[in-house]
Amino acid sequence: MITRFEGISRLLTMRPERGRSDDLLGIVDDAALCVSEEGRVLSAGPRAAPADEGHRVVDLRGAVVMPGLVESHTHLVWGGDRLDDFVARTSGVSYADIARRGGGISTTVRATRAASGDDLRSGGRARLDSFLRAGVTTVEIKSGYGLETETELKMLRVIRALDEEHPIDVIPTFLGAHTIPRVFGVTRERYLAELLEEMLPAVAECGLAEFCDVFCEETAFSLAESRQILEAAAGLGLKLKIHAEQLSYTGAARLAAELGAVSADHLEELPASDIRALAEAGTVASLLPGATLFLGQERFPPARALIDGGVTVALSTDCNPGSSPTTHLWLMGTLGCVRMGMSPSESLAAMTVGGARALGRAAQVGALAPGMQADFVVLDSGRPEQALYWMCALPVARVYKRGRLVSGTADEGEAK
Amino acid sequence: MITRFEGISRLLTMRPERGRSDDLLGIVDDAALCVSEEGRVLSAGPRAAPADEGHRVVDLRGAVVMPGLVESHTHLVWGGDRLDDFVARTSGVSYADIARRGGGISTTVRATRAASGDDLRSGGRARLDSFLRAGVTTVEIKSGYGLETETELKMLRVIRALDEEHPIDVIPTFLGAHTIPRVFGVTRERYLAELLEEMLPAVAECGLAEFCDVFCEETAFSLAESRQILEAAAGLGLKLKIHAEQLSYTGAARLAAELGAVSADHLEELPASDIRALAEAGTVASLLPGATLFLGQERFPPARALIDGGVTVALSTDCNPGSSPTTHLWLMGTLGCVRMGMSPSESLAAMTVGGARALGRAAQVGALAPGMQADFVVLDSGRPEQALYWMCALPVARVYKRGRLVSGTADEGEAK
């Protein structure tokens, strides 16, 4: 049966009319949204004729509706916690020093290796629940806390299981190249060989990852190594992402552009001269201001320059236990506005269409147009900007995935 | 009847044992908390003997318990909103320029003058509800959006009504000296005369304020004017607070110390050389990192230097529509840790005992010790640091005010 959602005072389609650069949000006032039995959008626009006989009608009672948010960069599956690192950091020890002492990511690797698939799954499920309550309906999750074939595959299996069990669509990324497990006695050469000869073929073989990501950084993989890993991954049919220019400039964003990566992520240290390469390649900039805030860095990612340079920007939580422990994508939107020179509309776009582009999913999610998934959020505030303005607000009353209510409670209007 | 709360796996009394500088939190494991019929703490410490016959026993089932949070600086009552200013600011207009164009605080003053007491009360109530859900049990609220006698008194009456109707204890502050209402055609001289000759005596007469606060800033009141206003207020029996060194250095913190103000608030631009004066006077530094974050300022308040210099620090949201629209006191604690060099324990102390000291209420609230109000929070995470570490978390399962459940739902343990 077709469901027609009515009583939408304002619909943000995120599909602006052609040529209207003043309306990134594709706003339609007094709108209706028709959804097929299979959960696809049939129409999203002005409420014109009354509903056809036989349509199920849901009255949203004057609500503001926008697409489900798309979260394009997380490390959401992990074992253990990093509270002790946090406490150490506040006593003046730097993130890099904690890592050198065998804390930091090694703590999480040890705990993730030791954890059962069920335990990892239950932690991941809780964090996905929290994303869903915030109106997020698509989430990318990376492996990368195994740093050995067996545990990387265990993580990817957990990520697949979460996709199957949870209303949120999960996009899996292989990040075996997260760091070199030297503290576990593995040399750079040996780990690179394991990545190229064992992990990547195994990951491609079992089809558990859509993307391959590399952390290109002084403390992790060099530019040359990143190229080698990503070229191998591309050869095996994986799409590409890069952790680029987070703590120092390495040239990784240019590499992302050259290899046609779908996204280059972080970019705090990106020089203006590298923006054009990203724009020309159509590589999306996934910006993660939660990590900037949490790590106490001065420089937030250069969103304004990227947007002005024609690069599509996505905002993401970077949800992870070490540098950005949060699922609050709305706070990232606020930081976009108050720290990165983005307008509220640009932030909202970066949390929806931007995220979808960073995952190669722009035809399916992040906007509401015929043929797309009917993933949408009913806001509980009158203006969507309010949700960015009010810090740490969670302005989400209800969440629909493929046209079905998956978070929040139906009110009377639903009963018709 | 006496109520005995048991099953507390960890109690944060915020009353460290004497001489134990490593335990700011006054931690007691496996604790019990006895509360009188009137809602006072009778005992807070190790669970020793079984409960007396006739005591009502509430089993908290292994929870972590800490004092209700104390919010020492808000402008929580206002009319209208400031969304348009927010949107303008993200397009590059500065906070100061918005004010010069007649937006900013003038927008709120206009709307607050026009609003009915009932409307102001209902907006304030919603924000207090949000504070209560976050575990905040005492909130200071300032007037200051009237800037004329009638509306300032209207605001103070609303603040009193909120105190009477709401479970949260509200502490009222008169902030007629918020800014000079030049855009409303009132000269500096005339407004100062109105403040001194009309407003202050009226406020003192009706007993609607406990504190008098002044915004000492280039764009508002000079140091000499601030002194004049605060001395008059002290003469009328009001306790003192000052908005000091927020946007520029004026010497207001030294003035606060000299006049024995209970707190000096903001302090982003405080020089190290003025810290000693605050420490010697026992004036509390109320730090408001939400405003720093939201206004895009580089410099967060110098919490580390203040604590090292012997000043008591309070953390506060500054909840207001222009520069810190939030009730999320936990985020302020996180900012304390990640941007201001505070340890998690120091942040938790600043959100409880620190806030209480900033309101002259250290004997009543902010800690759990015999004779104090039984205002406490049941956390839903195992370690209290978790609540600061996880950005935008709201780790509060239940809130008790004077021993009675005021937020969250009782579980079975309550039924005994």
Side-chain angles (χ1 to χ4, degrees):
Chain A
M1 197 194 321
I2 290 168
T3 305
R4 179 176 154 113
F5 294 89
E6 289 189 350
I8 301 174
S9 67
R10 173 159 285 193
L11 177 68
L12 280 57
T13 65
M14 310 309 290
R15 281 285 178 95
E17 284 181 45
R18 267 171 224 288
R20 284 207 51 195
S21 64
D22 61 329
D23 174 30
L24 282 178
L25 306 181
I27 289 175
V28 181
D29 285 332
D30 191 13
L33 183 66
C34 286
V35 177
S36 73
E37 179 74 31
E38 298 72 35
R40 303 251 148 222
V41 174
L42 296 168
S43 66
R47 181 174 60 88
D52 286 354
E53 292 284 329
H55 285 191
R56 174 170 163 261
V57 173
V58 176
D59 183 356
L60 294 179
R61 298 165 182 270
V64 174
V65 169
M66 68 177 289
L69 308 187
V70 180
E71 165 56 76
S72 60
H73 181 134
T74 83
H75 309 251
L76 176 137
V77 170
W78 69 77
D81 70 55
R82 294 271 278 281
L83 264 179
D84 291 333
D85 286 1
F86 173 67
V87 175
R89 213 156 57 74
T90 63
S91 72
V93 187
S94 76
Y95 192 64
D97 279 337
I98 288 169
R100 271 180 221 113
R101 292 176 188 185
I105 190 172
S106 308
T107 308
T108 303
V109 170
R110 253 177 249 116
T112 305
R113 288 181 179 179
S116 71
D118 279 353
D119 285 347
L120 293 177
R121 198 164 148 180
S122 116
R125 184 188 301 128
R127 294 186 275 269
L128 281 180
D129 287 346
S130 163
F131 270 120
L132 189 66
R133 283 192 298 272
V136 178
T137 49
T138 304
V139 172
E140 186 253 21
I141 308 180
K142 303 174 198 297
S143 70
Y145 294 126
L147 307 185
E148 59 182 12
T149 307
E150 183 193 334
T151 310
E152 288 294 316
L153 291 174
K154 176 173 77 177
M155 287 189 73
L156 289 170
R157 282 192 297 269
V158 167
I159 293 168
R160 169 163 295 175
L162 288 171
D163 180 48
E164 284 165 0
E165 75 172 61
H166 202 277
I168 287 181
D169 285 329
V170 173
I171 318 275
T173 295
F174 170 62
L175 179 61
H178 198 180
T179 193
I180 292 153
R182 273 173 300 217
V183 290
F184 299 98
V186 182
T187 63
R188 175 174 286 270
E189 294 65 35
R190 214 181 94 205
Y191 192 60
L192 206 65
E194 187 177 348
L195 265 170
L196 293 168
E197 290 156 26
E198 196 176 303
M199 287 193 203
L200 267 175
V203 168
E205 167 76 23
C206 64
L208 285 172
E210 179 171 337
F211 288 89
C212 177
D213 193 349
V214 172
F215 190 31
C216 182
E217 187 65 54
E218 276 172 17
T219 55
F221 294 87
S222 71
L223 193 65
E225 290 162 347
S226 299
R227 174 190 292 277
Q228 206 181 351
I229 296 161
L230 292 170
E231 285 180 342
L236 292 165
L238 293 165
K239 289 183 261 182
L240 308 183
K241 292 181 165 287
I242 310 189
H243 280 67
E245 334 294 14
Q246 180 187 9
L247 305 170
S248 60
Y249 177 64
T250 61
R254 278 187 179 272
L255 177 66
E258 184 197 326
L259 299 179
V262 178
S263 72
D265 300 38
H266 275 297
L267 303 178
E268 282 87 335
E269 302 295 330
L270 184 79
S273 53
D274 286 5
I275 289 176
R276 190 160 172 185
L278 291 175
E280 286 175 353
T283 297
V284 175
S286 268
L287 307 182
L288 317 169
T292 317
L293 185 70
F294 194 77
L295 293 180
Q297 290 172 276
E298 287 303 311
R299 208 171 339 181
F300 280 84
R304 184 73 262 144
L306 285 159
I307 293 171
D308 292 343
V311 178
T312 296
V313 161
L315 283 169
S316 154
T317 61
D318 192 15
C319 175
N320 79 75
S323 64
S324 192
T326 187
T327 55
H328 208 295
L329 189 50
W330 295 95
L331 179 68
M332 307 307 129
T334 300
L335 291 172
C337 294
V338 303
R339 288 277 156 176
M340 294 156 67
M342 299 171 77
S343 72
S345 296
E346 287 167 342
S347 276
L348 291 168
M351 296 157 71
T352 51
V353 279
R357 287 192 190 139
L359 295 173
R361 289 285 198 287
Q364 289 83 43
V365 298
L368 292 166
M372 296 182 74
Q373 280 180 211
D375 297 353
F376 61 92
V377 171
V378 176
L379 297 181
D380 65 6
S381 60
R383 285 171 65 182
E385 296 86 353
Q386 173 80 20
L388 302 175
Y389 159 74
W390 197 260
M391 290 191 283
C392 296
L394 212 56
V396 173
R398 287 192 275 171
V399 184
Y400 289 82
K401 184 75 184 171
R402 295 190 177 82
R404 283 173 220 288
L405 184 68
V406 288
S407 180
T409 44
D411 71 2
E412 281 174 87
E414 199 77 19
K416 284 191 187 174
Chain B
M1 197 194 320
I2 290 168
T3 305
R4 178 175 155 114
F5 295 89
E6 291 188 348
I8 302 174
S9 67
R10 173 161 284 195
L11 177 68
L12 280 58
T13 64
M14 310 311 291
R15 283 284 178 95
E17 283 180 48
R18 270 173 222 285
R20 283 208 51 195
S21 64
D22 61 329
D23 174 30
L24 281 177
L25 307 180
I27 289 175
V28 180
D29 286 333
D30 191 12
L33 183 66
C34 286
V35 177
S36 73
E37 179 74 31
E38 298 72 36
R40 303 250 149 221
V41 175
L42 296 170
S43 66
R47 181 174 61 86
D52 286 355
E53 292 284 329
H55 286 191
R56 175 171 162 261
V57 174
V58 176
D59 183 357
L60 294 178
R61 297 167 181 270
V64 174
V65 168
M66 67 178 288
L69 308 188
V70 180
E71 165 57 76
S72 59
H73 181 133
T74 84
H75 310 252
L76 177 138
V77 169
W78 69 79
D81 70 55
R82 294 272 278 283
L83 264 179
D84 291 334
D85 286 1
F86 173 67
V87 175
R89 211 156 57 75
T90 63
S91 72
V93 187
S94 76
Y95 192 66
D97 279 338
I98 288 168
R100 272 180 219 114
R101 294 173 186 185
I105 190 172
S106 308
T107 308
T108 302
V109 171
R110 255 177 246 114
T112 304
R113 288 181 179 180
S116 71
D118 280 352
D119 285 348
L120 293 178
R121 198 164 147 177
S122 113
R125 184 187 302 129
R127 293 186 276 270
L128 280 181
D129 287 345
S130 164
F131 269 120
L132 190 66
R133 283 192 297 273
V136 179
T137 47
T138 304
V139 172
E140 185 254 21
I141 309 180
K142 301 173 198 299
S143 71
Y145 294 126
L147 306 183
E148 58 183 11
T149 308
E150 182 193 334
T151 310
E152 288 294 316
L153 291 174
K154 177 173 75 178
M155 287 189 73
L156 289 171
R157 282 192 296 269
V158 167
I159 293 168
R160 170 164 294 177
L162 288 171
D163 180 48
E164 283 165 0
E165 75 171 62
H166 203 278
I168 286 180
D169 284 328
V170 173
I171 317 279
T173 295
F174 170 63
L175 179 61
H178 199 181
T179 191
I180 292 153
R182 274 173 300 217
V183 291
F184 299 98
V186 182
T187 62
R188 175 174 287 270
E189 293 67 31
R190 216 182 91 207
Y191 192 59
L192 207 63
E194 188 176 346
L195 266 169
L196 293 168
E197 291 157 26
E198 197 176 301
M199 287 193 204
L200 269 175
V203 167
E205 166 76 22
C206 63
L208 285 171
E210 178 171 337
F211 287 90
C212 176
D213 193 351
V214 172
F215 190 31
C216 182
E217 187 65 55
E218 275 172 20
T219 55
F221 294 87
S222 70
L223 193 65
E225 290 162 348
S226 300
R227 174 190 292 277
Q228 206 181 351
I229 296 160
L230 292 170
E231 284 180 344
L236 292 164
L238 293 164
K239 289 182 260 182
L240 308 183
K241 290 179 166 288
I242 310 188
H243 280 68
E245 334 293 16
Q246 180 186 10
L247 306 170
S248 61
Y249 177 65
T250 60
R254 278 187 180 273
L255 178 65
E258 184 196 326
L259 299 180
V262 178
S263 72
D265 300 37
H266 275 298
L267 304 178
E268 284 87 334
E269 302 296 330
L270 184 79
S273 53
D274 286 5
I275 289 176
R276 192 162 170 181
L278 291 174
E280 285 174 355
T283 297
V284 176
S286 267
L287 307 182
L288 317 168
T292 316
L293 184 71
F294 194 77
L295 294 179
Q297 290 171 276
E298 288 303 311
R299 210 172 335 183
F300 281 82
R304 184 74 261 144
L306 284 160
I307 293 171
D308 291 343
V311 179
T312 297
V313 161
L315 283 169
S316 154
T317 62
D318 193 14
C319 177
N320 78 76
S323 63
S324 194
T326 187
T327 55
H328 208 295
L329 188 51
W330 294 95
L331 179 68
M332 306 308 128
T334 300
L335 292 172
C337 293
V338 302
R339 288 277 157 178
M340 295 155 67
M342 299 171 77
S343 71
S345 297
E346 286 167 343
S347 276
L348 291 168
M351 297 157 72
T352 50
V353 277
R357 287 192 190 141
L359 295 173
R361 287 286 196 287
Q364 290 82 45
V365 298
L368 293 166
M372 298 183 73
Q373 279 179 211
D375 296 354
F376 61 93
V377 171
V378 176
L379 298 180
D380 65 5
S381 59
R383 284 172 66 181
E385 296 86 353
Q386 172 81 18
L388 303 175
Y389 160 74
W390 197 261
M391 290 191 283
C392 295
L394 213 55
V396 172
R398 288 191 275 169
V399 183
Y400 290 82
K401 183 76 184 167
R402 294 191 178 80
R404 284 173 218 288
L405 185 68
V406 288
S407 180
T409 43
D411 70 2
E412 280 174 87
E414 200 77 20
K416 284 192 192 177

